[in-house]
Amino acid sequence: MSATIAPGSKGKVLLAYSGGLDTSCILVWLIEQGFEVLAYMANVGQEEDFEAAREKALKVGASKVFIEDLRRELVEELVIPTIQANAVYETVYLLGTSVARPVIARSQVAIAKREGCTHVSHGCTGKGNDQVRFELAYYALDPKLQVIAPWRIPEFYQRFPGRNALLAYAAEKGVPVSQTPSKPWSTDENLFHISYEAGILEDPNVTPPTDMWKLTVDPEDAPNTPERITITFKAGKPVRVTNEGDGTDVTDPLDLFLYLNTVARRNGVGRIDIVENRFIGIKSRGCYETPGGTILRAAHIDLEGLVLDREVRAYRDEHITPVFGKIMYNGLYFSPEGDLITKMVPLTQTNVNGSVRVKLYKGGLSMEGRWSETETLYDMEQSSMDVQGDFEPTDSEGFIKIQSIRLKKWGAKFQQN
């Protein structure tokens, strides 16, 4: 018979707590291992009953519970720079899960330091990206912190090989369990997006059921009348959204983003279904809803066509956009390269000032116009086919001759053969 370990004898651990079955069982298990457990929840815009989760954590043994509202810093520090960079992963994924991890980890580390915790812990699986994202952030922000990752500890994952084992443990330990039937997939939600993976979605050829999509109306059921909004940017940051139909006008960064979510959701905008390459080397099928972010990125790209210098845009697209996306996806925001790339993004956005008119209709969006009062590089007369302006057509002849020098030499080889 094993000796009982005194609670708290191994020090304090701050657990990233969701209120769900997994992290509730982890909380009790950590206490069994001799830790004093403090629970931490980050409000990043997910639809969650935080007070109910607080009460649950205290009931199952947490000595303290911290609930931090990180929504504003998520939008201002992570979401907007991601939009400025036009960043995506593998050309389609808008990094919805990835962008929230730095602010969540940073707050967890700050609380752990303040409370004298020797350890931090999380409920991430041993096959996913989030374990990497959280732990790389922990170690960068406080190299002395120790990490407990139960789903990588054989003693834990062999004891709890599936949901039924966790349910039995919860019943044994008096952990309250939701009576809501478990969905045949897992989700992660913040104000930028929601993700769906695992379960029935592991077969990449299974069509997601209609009731899976939580945020957006089915595009087929969206209103039959288009909705039109105007988004204004300053230095690449969205500073105003105006609804042309009802006159709604929003300027606060957080409120602006939440409003874009609202209009995108009711018009069915922002769904994707992809197979991606996880950082650890496993392919994964994921379905995502990124309503407001989809609108913002498309409008931002459109405005750049009007105001951004061609070579600056090309350099950013080749050297900054893909690197930013990879850094965010791989959990390297707190790194030398992460620090460098986040400082480079604003330098490309100085002249991205102006407004874009956007039409939303049945899952799609299109740009109906754009203008800038200060930064436009577009010259209507110079571009016109009806007005010569200050462009001399004969100058094109010399341009073509110079561009064709190497092509003539390349083509001549085929003539010789």
Side-chain angles (χ1 to χ4, degrees):
M1 185 174 179
S2 59
T4 302
I5 303 174
S9 60
K10 291 186 178 180
K12 291 182 180 181
V13 56
L14 181 63
L15 170 66
Y17 182 71
S18 70
L21 176 64
D22 285 31
T23 53
S24 294
C25 289
I26 288 171
L27 196 161
V28 176
W29 181 82
L30 287 169
I31 294 172
E32 284 186 344
Q33 305 310 302
F35 290 97
E36 177 187 347
V37 182
L38 293 72
Y40 158 70
M41 298 187 73
N43 177 1
V44 286
Q46 70 273 38
E47 295 180 2
E48 180 74 62
D49 187 339
F50 291 101
E51 289 309 311
R54 182 199 298 274
E55 292 176 10
K56 183 175 181 179
L58 292 170
K59 178 171 181 163
V60 299
S63 60
K64 293 182 180 180
V65 179
F66 303 90
I67 299 174
E68 302 295 308
D69 187 347
L70 306 179
R71 294 175 300 163
R72 184 169 296 277
E73 61 192 88
L74 170 59
V75 169
E76 295 181 351
E77 297 182 34
L78 276 300
V79 171
I80 290 177
T82 299
I83 297 297
Q84 288 179 299
N86 297 332
V88 289
Y89 179 70
E90 295 188 335
T91 73
V92 288
Y93 172 46
L94 271 63
L95 302 164
T97 299
S98 315
V99 297
R101 296 322 185 213
V103 294
I104 296 173
R106 182 174 62 192
S107 180
Q108 186 176 4
V109 169
I111 294 171
K113 286 182 178 180
R114 188 178 74 220
E115 296 296 320
C117 296
T118 53
H119 298 71
V120 290
S121 184
H122 59 74
C124 304
T125 72
K127 287 185 176 182
N129 288 318
D130 276 345
Q131 58 177 340
V132 180
R133 294 167 180 154
F134 279 120
E135 293 183 37
L136 292 182
Y138 296 155
Y139 292 131
L141 295 168
D142 187 351
K144 294 181 180 179
L145 267 180
Q146 299 178 65
V147 178
I148 302 173
W151 288 115
R152 295 204 308 269
I153 299 173
E155 176 189 349
F156 185 87
Y157 66 71
Q158 290 172 4
R159 181 177 179 183
F160 305 110
R163 181 174 173 82
N164 288 337
L166 288 170
L167 287 170
Y169 182 72
E172 176 190 343
K173 300 298 181 180
V175 176
V177 177
S178 170
Q179 297 304 308
T180 304
S182 176
K183 298 283 189 181
W185 53 76
S186 64
T187 65
D188 178 80
E189 183 181 4
N190 59 56
L191 58 76
F192 194 39
H193 93 150
I194 187 170
S195 66
Y196 310 89
E197 62 180 7
I200 63 171
L201 300 176
E202 289 176 352
D203 182 343
N205 197 35
V206 168
T207 300
T210 302
D211 65 352
M212 180 194 77
W213 304 101
K214 174 183 176 183
L215 300 184
T216 57
V217 66
D218 190 315
E220 295 180 3
D221 298 327
N224 293 322
T225 302
E227 186 165 8
R228 290 176 166 87
I229 59 174
T230 298
I231 305 175
T232 300
F233 293 87
K234 185 174 183 179
K237 299 179 179 181
V239 296
R240 166 167 269 145
V241 172
T242 305
N243 190 306
E244 297 179 17
D246 61 19
T248 299
D249 187 69
V250 188
T251 57
D252 176 79
L254 177 57
D255 292 341
L256 182 153
F257 194 81
L258 294 174
Y259 180 70
L260 284 175
N261 274 342
T262 298
V263 296
R265 290 174 68 166
R266 66 190 179 214
N267 286 283
V269 172
R271 295 183 180 186
I272 62 169
D273 179 347
I274 62 173
V275 175
E276 67 198 71
N277 290 291
R278 289 178 178 166
F279 187 24
I280 63 171
I282 298 173
K283 284 190 180 290
S284 171
R285 192 265 188 96
C287 299
Y288 302 98
E289 292 177 280
T290 315
T294 297
I295 297 175
L296 264 186
R297 183 173 185 271
H300 178 262
I301 290 173
D302 183 83
L303 179 62
E304 286 189 328
L306 182 69
V307 301
L308 199 58
D309 175 77
R310 181 183 72 177
E311 296 305 318
V312 171
R313 187 176 190 177
Y315 184 89
R316 192 277 317 277
D317 288 349
E318 183 176 353
H319 299 287
I320 297 178
T321 296
V323 175
F324 189 102
K326 187 175 181 180
I327 284 172
M328 293 302 302
Y329 188 85
N330 292 345
L332 293 166
Y333 181 79
F334 299 112
S335 68
E337 63 271 34
D339 184 56
L340 174 65
I341 207 76
T342 53
K343 289 175 179 175
M344 292 175 71
V345 170
L347 298 177
T348 70
Q349 298 294 293
T350 305
N351 297 326
V352 184
N353 305 308
S355 300
V356 181
R357 294 189 293 111
V358 186
K359 181 178 81 171
L360 311 173
Y361 184 63
K362 289 191 174 294
L365 68 159
S366 58
M367 310 304 137
E368 295 193 318
R370 73 287 298 155
W371 75 92
S372 175
E373 297 177 354
T374 59
E375 306 295 344
T376 182
L377 298 178
Y378 181 84
D379 186 322
M380 192 178 302
E381 283 195 357
Q382 196 174 66
S383 301
S384 175
M385 295 298 180
D386 298 319
V387 180
Q388 182 171 319
D390 62 358
F391 183 85
E392 180 57 56
T394 57
D395 291 343
S396 294
E397 185 173 349
F399 178 80
I400 293 169
K401 285 181 178 179
I402 295 298
Q403 294 295 319
S404 68
I405 290 174
R406 66 184 183 91
L407 300 180
K408 288 179 179 179
K409 292 186 178 298
W410 178 73
K413 292 190 300 183
F414 295 98
Q415 296 295 325
Q416 294 170 2
N417 296 332

